[in-house]
């Protein structure tokens, strides 16, 4: 009966659409990370890693929704280092070290993302591979180990992004049914987009560096957010969108020059 009431409520539909859009925006970070990690695997394992990563993201989000009461308590400060910045224009400190469970998760997740993106950038630039990354013709045992490591890293970032996603959902609506619908719909879209995005990144190597730079920026944003420095997400995604637009123009220009050379 309650579900029928929700279906007939325009405000519930408005909350669902708004929440889906927010979840899609928040899911872009997760999707880029999964695409880059999966592209490091042998070709026959890439799609499976992406599916497992997104299914884990869905499972974590749905699991956290069942613990919604505990999730809300993550915003309660656990430790206070007694350091705070000067007051901003609205009277709140520019940064603070009264850290909640959510803040600690964001800080650890941001540091992990910074480390991972920096390492991947180094491996991309270094002409001599360090040997840690798997050669696609490597041994089966090494392939299995690398696949497992990739899944563990995906789980770690899934947890960070999932908590941020659920806290966003809690701020939008009190209805668990709306939250679950939005999460399932969003992850479904991510599953549809995962393979095309990964293939597009793989076929356009310059996008790999751009995506890694995005991950570094997201890591910094997570780290700053953990210490109470709230950077408007709209600025971040606008910068990412503009960068992608410029890079797409570069790709179109390169492709046209290549076709002209081939036709000459």
């Amino acid at each position: 009966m309650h579900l029928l009431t929700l279906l007939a409520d325009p405000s519930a539909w408005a909350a669902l659409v708004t929440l889906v859009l927010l979840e899609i925006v928040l899911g872009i970070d997760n999707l880029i990370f999964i695409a880059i990690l999966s592209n490091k695997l042998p070709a026959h394992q890439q799609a499976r890693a992406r599916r497992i990563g997104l299914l884990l993201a869905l499972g974590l989000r749905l699991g956290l929704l069942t613990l919604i009461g505990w999730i809300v308590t993550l915003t309660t400060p656990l430790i206070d280092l007694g350091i705070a910045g000067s007051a901003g224009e609205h009277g709140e400190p520019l940064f603070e070290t009264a850290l909640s469970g959510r803040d600690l998760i964001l800080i650890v997740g941001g540091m992990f993302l910074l480390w991972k993106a920096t390492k991947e950038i180094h491996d991309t630039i270094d002409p001599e591979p360090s040997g840690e990354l798997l050669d696609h013709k490597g041994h089966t045992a090494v392939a299995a180990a690398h696949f497992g490591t990739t899944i563990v890293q995906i789980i770690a970032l899934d947890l960070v992004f999932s908590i941020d996603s659920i806290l966003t959902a809690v701020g939008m609506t009190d209805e668990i049914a709306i939250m679950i619908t939005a999460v399932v719909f969003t992850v479904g879209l991510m599953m549809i987009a995962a393979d095309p995005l990964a293939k597009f990144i793989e076929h356009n190597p310059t996008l790999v560096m751009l995506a890694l730079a995005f991950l570094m920026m997201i890591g910094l944003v997570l780290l700053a957010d953990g210490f109470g420095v709230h950077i408007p997400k709209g600025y971040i995604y606008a910068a990412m969108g503009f960068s992608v637009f410029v890079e797409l123009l570069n790709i179109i220009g390169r492709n046209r020059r290549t076709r002209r050379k081939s036709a000459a």
Side-chain angles (χ1 to χ4, degrees):
M1 197 66 167
H2 179 63
L3 184 58
L4 293 176
T5 304
L6 281 178
L7 290 173
D9 185 0
S11 63
W13 283 99
L16 176 61
V17 172
T18 304
L19 188 53
V20 166
L21 292 175
L22 286 173
E23 292 291 333
I24 289 173
V25 171
L26 291 172
I28 291 172
D29 312 338
N30 204 351
L31 197 56
I32 291 173
F33 184 78
I34 291 175
I36 289 178
L37 280 186
S38 64
N39 281 352
K40 308 295 290 186
L41 293 169
H44 68 280
Q45 292 183 336
Q46 292 177 7
R48 184 158 65 100
R50 287 191 285 271
R51 285 195 297 271
I52 291 174
L54 289 170
L55 286 173
L56 288 171
L58 175 61
L60 279 172
R61 283 165 168 77
L62 294 179
L64 289 173
L65 281 174
T66 65
L67 303 172
I68 199 78
W70 173 73
I71 292 295
V72 173
T73 65
L74 288 178
T75 58
T76 304
L78 297 177
I79 59 175
D80 190 350
L81 302 179
I83 304 173
S86 56
E89 59 182 33
H90 300 295
E92 77 285 356
L94 295 178
F95 71 91
E96 57 186 349
T97 55
L99 306 177
S100 64
R102 171 185 176 273
D103 294 332
L104 294 174
I105 291 171
L106 290 180
I107 290 169
V108 172
M111 292 174 66
F112 172 75
L113 206 52
L114 281 172
W115 167 78
K116 185 62 182 175
T118 302
K119 182 178 180 301
E120 293 294 334
I121 288 174
H122 176 269
D123 289 335
T124 301
I125 294 173
D126 189 357
E128 295 294 332
S130 62
E132 180 182 346
L133 295 177
L134 175 68
D135 182 349
H136 286 199
K137 297 180 181 178
H139 297 293
T140 303
V142 179
H146 189 66
F147 184 84
T149 302
T150 299
I151 296 301
V152 168
Q153 293 178 15
I154 289 174
I155 292 172
L157 259 294
D158 275 348
L159 178 61
V160 176
F161 291 128
S162 294
I163 288 177
D164 207 22
S165 169
I166 296 306
L167 287 173
T168 299
V170 171
M172 287 296 304
T173 180
D174 296 327
E175 296 291 344
I176 297 293
I178 293 177
M179 297 182 198
I180 291 175
T181 303
V183 165
V184 171
F185 185 78
T186 303
V187 175
L189 287 179
M190 290 168 65
M191 284 187 171
I192 294 172
D195 286 347
L197 175 64
K199 289 176 181 176
F200 187 68
I201 290 176
E202 186 176 15
H203 294 157
N204 298 276
T206 55
L207 280 177
V208 174
M209 189 61 69
L210 184 62
L212 290 172
F214 287 164
L215 291 180
M216 286 196 71
M217 181 170 63
I218 294 163
L220 285 171
V221 170
L222 291 177
L223 199 58
D225 200 9
F227 283 107
V229 182
H230 302 296
I231 303 171
K233 295 290 179 65
Y235 295 143
I236 302 299
Y237 291 112
M240 290 171 64
F242 182 74
S243 300
V244 170
F245 174 71
V246 172
E247 185 57 30
L248 288 177
L249 291 178
N250 286 330
I251 290 172
I252 292 171
R254 284 196 299 270
N255 289 341
R256 286 183 176 176
R257 287 192 296 271
T258 301
R259 284 197 297 267
R260 286 173 185 166
K261 288 180 181 178
S262 300

